[in-house]
Amino acid sequence: MAERSLRGSRLGALSMETDENVVPSERQITTYLCPQGHKIELPFSIEAEIPPVWECRCGEEAKLVGDGPEPEVKAVKPARTHWDMLLERRSIPELEELLEERLTLLRASRGEKPGKKKTA
């Protein structure tokens, strides 16, 4: 394998391309301010859509300073519980019927007589 490697260059070496005739896109500096008082300055291309919020190094959300649009507040969906998903598949009477069947099987496996319920 050593015979096939390129001589005089390393993996991850600098690119052989030059920066001649390359025009970088115009930049604009945007400033964000976090509730903790941190100031963040970021360069964005003029053509880029500027996000209204940016995550600060402290973990807070920094807001765009100036004429930026207000961030959209997204509605938070409540977490679906096991019970919610169960009710999507079965109705309450069906669940009660299944419960009775399972209790009957459980009582039979314990040797109890069917229809007899224990009171605590």
Side-chain angles (χ1 to χ4, degrees), residues 54-102:
W54 193 266
E55 186 176 344
C56 182
R57 64 180 179 262
C58 66
E60 296 284 332
E61 277 194 349
K63 292 185 179 178
L64 183 62
V65 175
D67 301 331
E70 283 296 315
E72 296 176 16
V73 178
K74 296 180 181 176
V76 179
K77 288 174 53 175
R80 284 177 51 201
T81 63
H82 178 71
W83 181 249
D84 295 331
M85 290 183 263
L86 188 62
L87 288 178
E88 289 175 6
R89 295 190 308 271
R90 307 223 187 246
S91 66
I92 298 289
E94 287 177 318
L95 291 172
E96 289 173 349
E97 182 182 332
L98 285 172
L99 176 62
E100 271 309 310
E101 289 176 14
R102 298 309 298 172

